Amino acid sequence: MRSRSWPGDQSAPLVEFAITFFAVWLIFSGVYAFGYAFYVYNRLETAVANAALLGAGYDYDSSNPSTYTTAVRNMALYGDITAGTTPVVPGLTAANIQVSVGTDAKSVPRDVQVSISNYQISAVFQKFTLVNKPRAVAQFTGRWLCSGC
């Protein structure tokens, strides 16, 4: 027995494909956006932790603290104490990295804190702005120098 085909029957699979493809595309785009944002945040977290660990053992000269903060900032920005050309994540600048050294009354360092601020993670559908996140604090165990004292 032959089945009858109606004129509108050939378009039904095309409509089903279009609806299914759109739904699957949205799901995969969402997974990609979440995965990419997680990847960038993880890279930033690792860079900040490495910079704080470097700062914990790096020599601190209280008469020239900018040398210390520049080395720690470069570690968070480029993964090395010297200035590089490619940051650890796209769009990260030195202005996004805050380095603060906690000192006692005699300007002897106690700890170093490294954090990221005003950095946007650009996902597919949304941008996330980081404010003081990620952040790492390490107790200072390096040498304290006072060349100008």
Side-chain angles (χ1 to χ4, degrees):
M1 190 183 242
R2 278 180 70 184
S3 65
R4 281 189 140 190
S5 102
W6 300 97
D9 284 348
Q10 286 86 17
S11 63
L14 183 62
V15 171
E16 290 173 5
F17 171 75
I19 291 171
T20 305
F21 178 76
F22 182 70
V24 170
W25 180 80
L26 278 177
I27 290 169
F28 282 135
S29 296
V31 169
Y32 171 79
F34 176 75
Y36 180 72
F38 188 75
Y39 166 76
V40 170
Y41 190 83
N42 191 21
R43 294 276 309 221
L44 289 172
E45 197 171 38
T46 302
V48 165
N50 288 342
L53 287 175
L54 170 83
Y58 204 71
D59 292 345
Y60 182 84
D61 188 356
S62 57
S63 40
N64 188 12
S66 65
T67 304
Y68 176 84
T69 56
T70 300
V72 173
R73 185 173 284 121
N74 284 340
M75 184 65 177
L77 183 57
Y78 303 111
D80 195 1
I81 59 172
T82 58
T85 56
T86 307
V88 293
V89 293
L92 186 66
T93 64
N96 299 122
I97 301 169
Q98 279 68 47
V99 177
S100 63
V101 179
T103 58
D104 63 8
K106 296 180 182 179
S107 297
V108 177
R110 291 182 322 227
D111 58 30
V112 59
Q113 176 178 313
V114 183
S115 63
I116 305 289
S117 283
N118 300 321
Y119 178 74
Q120 285 191 340
I121 297 176
S122 181
V124 175
F125 300 114
Q126 186 177 359
K127 291 187 179 190
F128 302 100
T129 302
L130 303 178
V131 180
N132 278 340
K133 291 181 182 178
R135 175 180 51 217
V137 180
Q139 183 178 1
F140 183 78
T141 57
R143 289 189 319 163
W144 173 62
L145 308 169
C146 189
S147 61
C149 297

